[in-house]
C-alpha cells in the first residue's frame, strides 16, 4: 500500500511540473511531497499511530546536549538528529517560546532553559530509590579504598544516566556528576541493567540499537551474553577499560518496588588506583549486599 501511494505521489509530481505548475507553489508541493515520503517511510510511525512525531523530535532536540556542553547551534542540532535545518529552526523556536530552550541571537546558539531544568528536578523528586540508596552508597564510598566512587543509574534509550553520585574521598577521582551518561553495552552499570531487565525490555534495547546500527546491536548482544554468564557465577558485572581505558568498575542491578524498573549500582575508580582484583574480592561482596539491602528497604516501604 505504501509503495503504491508513493508511486502516485511521484506521478502527480511529474504531471504537475510538466503542465507548468505555478512557480511560486512548486516549492511548497515539493516540500509536501518530501514530508509525505519521509513520514510514510518511517516504519515506527506506521506501527504506532498514537506516536506523535513532532513531540518526539522536540524531545530528541533537548537530548542533544552532551556532558559539559552548555550551548548548541541549529547546525549541531541538525547534525545530531539528522533533521533538516528548516525543521530544526521551527523546533528551536517552539522550544524557546515554551521556555525549554533559551536563544542567544548574538552567537546563534541555544542553551537549556528553566522548563527543561524543572522537568529534571521533577524526575529526581519522584525517584524514591535515591533516598533509600544514599546510606548504602555512603557505606560503599567510605570503604577500604578511598579512591572509589559510587553511582546509581537509570536507563535512557542506549545510555545509563547517573541519578545519584558520590565522589571518592580523594582529590584524584573520576570526573562525574548527576546526569552523566554511560554507554549501555560497554559499561559495568549498563550491563548490570541489561542482566536485570525483563526479556521484552532487553529485546527493545537491542532493537533500538539495531535501528541505529546493526553492528551496534550485534556487539550489544555479545556483551550481554558475556555479562550474563559472568553474573550467573559471580553475582556482578564488570567493565575494565572498555567504557574508558582509565576506568575500572563493577555493578549490580537494583529493582523498583514493583520490579518494573531496573537501576544499576556501581563502584569504580581510576584504573591505576582501583584494580580489578580488589574490586572483585573486596568491593563486590559489599556491593551485592548493598543492592540486597536497598531492595529489602523498598519492599518494606511498600508493605507499610
Amino acid at each position: 500500500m505504501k509503495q503504491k501511494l508513493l508511486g502516485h505521489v511521484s506521478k502527480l509530481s511529474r504531471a504537475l511540473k510538466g503542465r507548468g505548475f505555478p512557480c511560486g507553489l512548486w516549492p511548497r508541493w515539493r516540500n509536501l511531497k518530501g514530508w509525505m515520503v519521509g513520514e510514510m517511510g518511517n516504519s515506527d510511525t506506521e506501527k504506532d499511530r498514537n506516536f506523535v512525531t513532532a513531540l518526539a523530535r522536540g524531545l530528541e532536540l533537548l537530548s542533544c546536549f552532551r556532558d559539559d556542553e552548555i550551548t548548541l547551534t541549529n547546525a549541531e542540532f541538525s547534525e545530531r538528529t539528522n533533521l533538516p535545518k528548516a525543521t530544526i529552526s521551527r523546533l528551536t523556536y517552539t522550544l524557546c517560546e515554551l521556555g525549554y530552550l533559551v536563544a542567544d541571537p548574538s552567537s546563534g546558539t541555544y542553551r537549556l532553559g528553566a522548563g527543561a531544568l524543572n522537568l529534571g528536578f521533577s524526575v529526581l523528586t519522584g525517584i524514591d530509590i535515591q533516598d533509600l540508596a544514599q546510606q548504602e552508597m555512603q557505606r560503599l564510598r567510605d570503604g577500604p579504598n578511598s579512591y572509589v566512587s559510587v553511582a546509581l543509574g537509570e536507563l535512557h534509550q542506549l545510555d545509563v544516566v547517573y541519578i545519584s553520585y558520590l565522589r571518592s574521598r580523594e582529590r584524584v577521582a573520576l570526573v562525574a556528576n548527576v546526569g552523566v551518561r554511560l554507554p549501555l553495552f560497554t559499561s559495568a552499570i549498563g550491563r548490570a541493567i541489561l542482566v536485570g531487565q525483563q526479556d521484552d525490555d532487553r529485546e527493545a534495547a537491542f532493537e533500538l540499537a539495531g535501528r541505529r546500527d546493526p553492528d551496534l546491536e550485534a556487539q550489544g548482544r555479545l556483551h550481554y551474553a558475556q555479562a550474563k554468564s559472568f553474573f550467573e557465577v559471580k553475582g556482578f558485572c564488570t567493565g575494565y577499560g572498555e567504557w574508558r581505558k582509565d576506568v575500572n568498575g563493577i555493578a549490580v542491578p537494583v529493582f523498583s518496588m514493583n520490579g518494573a524498573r531496573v537501576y544499576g549500582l556501581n563502584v569504580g575508580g581510576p584504573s591505576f588506583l582501583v584494580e580489578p582484583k580488589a574490586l572483585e574480592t573486596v568491593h563486590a561482596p559489599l556491593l551485592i549486599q548493598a543492592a540486597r539491602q536497598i531492595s529489602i528497604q523498598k519492599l518494606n516501604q511498600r508493605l507499610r
Side-chain angles (χ1 to χ4, degrees):
M1 179 63 183
K2 180 181 73 176
Q3 294 298 328
K4 186 176 181 180
L5 186 55
L6 289 178
H8 289 321
V9 170
S10 297
K11 290 179 181 178
L12 181 58
S13 177
R14 290 193 297 270
L16 290 173
K17 191 173 184 181
R19 295 180 182 180
F21 199 59
C23 295
L25 296 180
W26 174 253
R28 297 183 185 180
W29 164 253
R30 185 175 56 191
N31 290 339
L32 177 60
K33 174 195 168 188
W35 175 83
M36 292 174 70
V37 172
E39 288 299 307
M40 289 185 291
N42 189 327
S43 59
D44 293 335
T45 304
E46 285 184 309
K47 291 178 183 177
D48 189 354
R49 294 184 179 181
N50 292 320
F51 189 85
V52 182
T53 303
L55 175 60
R57 288 174 173 175
L59 293 173
E60 185 179 4
L61 220 65
L62 294 176
S63 301
C64 284
F65 290 88
R66 298 170 181 168
D67 300 337
D68 299 325
E69 283 185 339
I70 298 176
T71 61
L72 291 174
T73 64
N74 277 344
E76 289 169 325
F77 282 129
S78 179
E79 180 181 351
R80 295 181 186 184
T81 61
N82 292 320
L83 292 174
K85 291 182 179 179
T87 301
I88 295 295
S89 296
R90 293 193 296 271
L91 289 172
T92 52
Y93 174 82
T94 303
L95 290 170
C96 285
E97 288 294 300
L98 296 174
Y100 293 104
L101 288 178
V102 176
D104 181 354
S106 62
S107 62
T109 60
Y110 300 85
R111 63 175 175 83
L112 291 173
L117 186 63
N118 184 57
L119 284 177
F121 280 124
S122 297
V123 171
L124 292 176
T125 301
I127 301 175
D128 65 325
I129 193 172
Q130 288 179 276
D131 294 333
L132 298 175
Q134 278 300 308
Q135 186 175 4
E136 296 301 323
M137 291 177 65
Q138 189 81 40
R139 289 174 181 169
L140 289 170
R141 197 279 304 269
D142 295 342
N145 189 334
S146 60
Y147 291 96
V148 162
S149 298
V150 185
L152 183 71
E154 183 177 10
L155 179 65
H156 178 251
Q157 296 186 356
L158 296 180
D159 293 323
V160 178
V161 181
Y162 279 178
I163 60 174
S164 186
Y165 179 76
L166 288 181
R167 184 187 174 99
S168 79
R169 308 192 306 272
E170 301 291 345
R171 299 183 67 178
V172 178
L174 297 179
V175 180
N177 214 327
V178 171
V180 164
R181 299 185 179 198
L182 277 67
L184 177 62
F185 299 136
T186 56
S187 64
I189 196 169
R191 291 167 179 171
I193 290 177
L194 281 173
V195 167
Q197 281 183 314
Q198 297 289 335
D199 292 342
D200 290 347
D201 294 331
R202 187 185 310 110
E203 192 61 31
F206 290 142
E207 289 176 0
L208 176 59
R211 290 196 294 271
R212 294 187 182 181
D213 183 351
D215 290 339
L216 180 61
E217 178 185 1
Q219 293 169 9
R221 291 184 183 277
L222 177 60
H223 285 306
Y224 164 68
Q226 295 171 341
K228 181 175 180 289
S229 298
F230 188 90
F231 182 84
E232 288 174 346
V233 176
K234 300 288 188 176
F236 58 92
C237 296
T238 64
Y240 301 142
E242 295 172 84
W243 163 52
R244 279 175 41 182
K245 292 183 178 180
D246 59 339
V247 174
N248 288 333
I250 58 175
V252 292
V254 175
F255 303 93
S256 63
M257 280 187 272
N258 59 4
R261 186 172 294 275
V262 184
Y263 303 89
L265 180 67
N266 75 355
V267 296
S271 57
F272 62 97
L273 295 169
V274 182
E275 298 181 351
K277 183 177 180 180
L279 284 172
E280 295 187 17
T281 58
V282 179
H283 295 279
L286 301 175
L287 182 63
I288 294 170
Q289 180 58 34
R292 289 174 179 167
Q293 186 62 31
I294 294 169
S295 298
I296 291 172
Q297 290 183 54
K298 292 183 73 62
L299 177 59
N300 290 339
Q301 185 187 66
R302 186 182 182 188
L303 294 175
R304 284 200 296 269

